[in-house]
Amino acid sequence: MTVLRGRIRPVLRWVVAVSLIGLVFFTVDTALLWREMARLSPVVFFSALAVTVVQVMVSAWRWRYTVSRLGLSLPYGLAVREYYLATFLNQVLPGGVLGDVNRAWRHSADSGQRLAALHGVAIERLSGQLVLAMAVVFAVVWLASNGHVLAVPFDRLWLLIIVLVAVIAGLFLVSRLSGRLADYLGQLRRDLRRSLLGWPALPVQLSSSLLLLASYLAAFLVLAQGAGYVHSVASLFLITALSVLLLLSMVIPVTVAGWGVREGVAALLWPLAGLPSEQGVALSVSYGVLVFVSGLPGLLVLLRGVKQRQPAQ
């Protein structure tokens, strides 16, 4: 039964992704959507693709820096190859994190330090999520202060705070009851301090993650500029703020590589900002294709590994 659930769950994620995309296409003007997507020329697409190379280079450097703070070695060239492989797997496997799990597992096999390798990947990704969370707050505040109505449940903020406090308190109590969990949490706390929260790790992590976030937004803006959506400073800020929220939607692990969720959020957000939903969906789909193409070098890494494992004939 457990094996059956394990096989059905990935299929369900694909079904959810396809269903959401179908629903989005059903609710928008498809003729207008195709016209919006046709605005993007190959020159624009490949310009945005060049930005994604910077993303991988910086991401690999951030990962290498994180694990070095934990006492592990990781050659930069290897980090780049492994990050491309993880990016590709995240694009084709359900959940969007299995590539990172594989990255941690492969590094643990090479280093012999399983827990440190796992923490290295988790903390490196956490660094990016913290910066994204801060950017989301700024984006929502900017959108609200400029008259764009967003359905943000500010009245439930206290409920969220109470839930977070309860979770933290629960973890504290469990750690007191379980010696092994207490030991693990203590190790996690030390690793977080060494590679993220301590000095000089914190400014280095925040700087690299800010650079990464800027590159993600730059890719969106290159596509938006190529489609003619950026025509003033105000439109530049608006597209940037909306793109931050699209990046947040891609973190939700209910489909494959954010497909469907990202397009659904775009279809909802753009009209709230006074823009046609077809523009948001077109930008979202174009970005999804861009991310997929940017991860294709990871397929070469995968095929190379398979070829190396094949016995000589």
Side-chain angles (χ1 to χ4, degrees), residues 30-258:
T30 53
L32 178 57
L33 174 61
W34 297 129
R35 286 199 298 271
E36 293 294 337
M37 294 186 64
R39 289 169 172 260
L40 290 174
S41 67
V43 174
V44 172
F45 185 83
F46 283 106
S47 298
L49 192 61
V51 177
T52 66
V53 177
V54 177
Q55 293 173 4
V56 174
M57 298 300 172
V58 177
S59 297
W61 184 91
R62 186 179 65 181
W63 178 31
R64 184 172 182 266
Y65 175 81
T66 303
V67 297
S68 70
R69 298 287 298 178
L70 300 179
L72 303 182
S73 63
L74 179 62
Y76 182 67
L78 177 61
V80 171
R81 292 194 298 272
E82 289 295 315
Y83 224 102
Y84 265 119
L85 175 59
T87 300
F88 173 73
L89 294 178
N90 283 342
Q91 291 301 305
V92 299
L93 297 177
V97 296
L98 294 181
D100 295 310
V101 173
N102 180 70
R103 177 160 57 100
W105 177 80
R106 286 164 64 92
H107 189 213
S108 70
D110 291 338
S111 64
Q113 302 291 326
R114 184 173 61 179
L115 188 58
L118 176 62
H119 283 177
V121 171
I123 294 171
E124 178 256 330
R125 291 302 301 268
L126 176 61
S127 171
Q129 301 306 325
L130 289 176
V131 170
L132 177 59
M134 291 187 291
V136 167
V137 172
F138 281 114
V140 170
V141 170
W142 185 89
L143 287 167
S145 63
N146 283 271
H148 300 291
V149 180
L150 294 178
V152 181
F154 290 109
D155 57 321
R156 299 182 183 178
L157 180 60
W158 282 109
L159 177 61
L160 176 60
I161 293 174
I162 292 172
V163 171
L164 289 176
V165 171
V167 170
I168 294 173
L171 289 175
F172 176 77
L173 291 175
V174 171
S175 67
R176 290 295 183 180
L177 296 175
S178 173
R180 292 182 61 184
L181 182 57
D183 292 340
Y184 169 73
L185 291 178
Q187 182 62 49
L188 177 60
R189 184 171 58 252
R190 289 189 291 271
D191 287 348
L192 281 169
R193 187 183 304 114
R194 292 164 60 191
S195 61
L196 178 60
L197 301 178
W199 179 267
L202 183 59
V204 173
Q205 290 279 12
L206 291 181
S207 299
S208 59
S209 294
L210 279 171
L211 180 59
L212 268 175
L213 177 61
S215 69
Y216 293 140
L217 296 176
F220 270 110
L221 291 175
V222 169
L223 295 175
Q225 174 65 33
Y229 301 155
V230 180
H231 46 76
S232 65
V233 175
S235 63
L236 173 67
F237 285 136
L238 179 57
I239 295 297
T240 301
L242 294 174
S243 298
V244 169
L245 300 183
L246 286 189
L247 288 173
L248 176 64
S249 71
M250 294 174 62
V251 177
I252 304 173
V254 296
T255 62
V256 181

